[in-house]
Amino acid sequence: MSDQSTVSLPPDPAAPPRTRRRGVVLWSVLAAILVVLIVAAVALDGVARAYAGTLIENKVRSSLSIPASTPVDAKVGGASVLLQLLAGKLERVDVSSKGLAVGALTGDATLTATGIPIDQSKPIDHARLEFTVDETQLKTLVGTVSGIPVNSLTVQSGAIALATTITVLGIGIPVTVAVAPSAVGGELVLTPKSVTFNGQTLTPADLRKTFGSLADTLLTTQKICVAQFLPKALALDAVTVSGSNVALAVSADNVTLNSDLFATKGVCASK
């Protein structure tokens, strides 16, 4: 009777251990779950961002009594909106409206606000409102400058060209005064840079040499109050010329964005 013994075969080095195989499967499952969670979070955040933008649009429209025919677009910036809402403050909100009527003016408005608390009774960190008007609207704003009728107005080369007529010895002379716009003390300031008449362009100094005191009316720096077009709490602090448009900008820190802010306009002092 012969002895029977069991011979064990050595493991196949080409076959990976079961533990390694299970680890690969586990990590694959976890990675798939993570991807699904990320996609879901992004989708949910996108929904929250769109919903917050819609709420802001409706609030702005009701606060400013903007008709349905005037477009209003609001975008919430920054990182995750869900995290911003949990923190109780939005990082940045941009609101724009084209063809917005403000008193006698119509233009494109852009409001940029940063650090906006969810509690509307609390002030925001910073707000900047920019109102852009074209040549036609700017002529309405400028109107009559210091008693001189403005026949026409054009914006070119970073300046505003005012075409008017002056009377010298009973003769009407058409002239064009090029002025540089700026914001000083909350007012729109127009500083003469040159005067063109009879095909010649003269600097203010040359014009005074030629016409003396008769040139004072044309060369006087004009100040135009725009407070009646702006929220009372915000004063004009910048004027920018771009192409044929002029943008009037106001900004403020620690201001409360509510209906009263936009509904209450400034008042120009009588002169």
Side-chain angles (χ1 to χ4, degrees), residues 125-140:
D125 294 344
H126 181 77
R128 177 180 174 82
L129 176 64
E130 188 172 277
F131 191 67
T132 303
V133 295
D134 59 17
E135 295 173 338
T136 301
Q137 297 299 316
L138 190 60
K139 184 176 183 296
T140 300

Side-chain angles (χ1 to χ4, degrees), residues 4-10:
Q4 295 181 352
S5 59
T6 301
V7 179
S8 299
L9 297 176

Side-chain angles (χ1 to χ4, degrees), residues 71-235:
V72 176
D73 181 59
K75 288 183 172 57
V76 179
S80 169
V81 172
L82 294 176
L83 294 179
Q84 293 182 57
L85 293 175
L86 290 174
K89 179 179 286 191
L90 297 178
E91 295 178 18
R92 174 179 175 132
V93 172
D94 294 286
V95 183
S96 61
S97 179
K98 293 184 177 296
L100 179 65
V102 180
L105 297 179
T106 299
D108 298 337
T110 301
L111 171 66
T112 300
T114 56
I116 310 99
I118 303 302
D119 184 352
Q120 297 182 18
S121 65
K122 296 180 179 180
I124 68 170
D125 294 344
H126 181 77
R128 177 180 174 82
L129 176 64
E130 188 172 277
F131 191 67
T132 303
V133 295
D134 59 17
E135 295 173 338
T136 301
Q137 297 299 316
L138 190 60
K139 184 176 183 296
T140 300
L141 177 61
V142 173
T144 300
V145 179
S146 195
I148 300 176
V150 178
N151 299 332
S152 64
L153 180 151
T154 56
V155 180
Q156 54 188 4
S157 302
I160 300 173
L162 306 175
T164 185
T165 302
I166 61 172
T167 302
V168 178
L169 301 177
I171 302 175
I173 302 177
V175 298
T176 299
V177 183
V179 298
S182 61
V184 179
E187 293 185 309
L188 173 61
V189 176
L190 305 179
T191 304
K193 294 300 182 182
S194 66
V195 177
T196 301
F197 71 98
N198 197 26
Q200 295 183 331
T201 300
L202 302 178
T203 64
D206 291 336
L207 193 68
R208 281 198 170 93
K209 287 180 181 179
T210 304
F211 295 97
S213 60
L214 293 176
D216 289 345
T217 301
L218 294 176
L219 299 179
T220 299
T221 297
Q222 310 296 335
K223 296 181 178 180
I224 302 173
C225 177
V226 294
Q228 71 271 30
F229 301 108
L230 303 172
K232 184 177 181 180
L234 306 178

Side-chain angles (χ1 to χ4, degrees), residues 57 60-72 95 97 99-101:
E57 290 173 14
V60 170
R61 189 179 293 279
S62 62
S63 298
L64 298 180
S65 299
I66 300 176
S69 58
T70 301
V72 176
V95 183
S97 179
L100 179 65

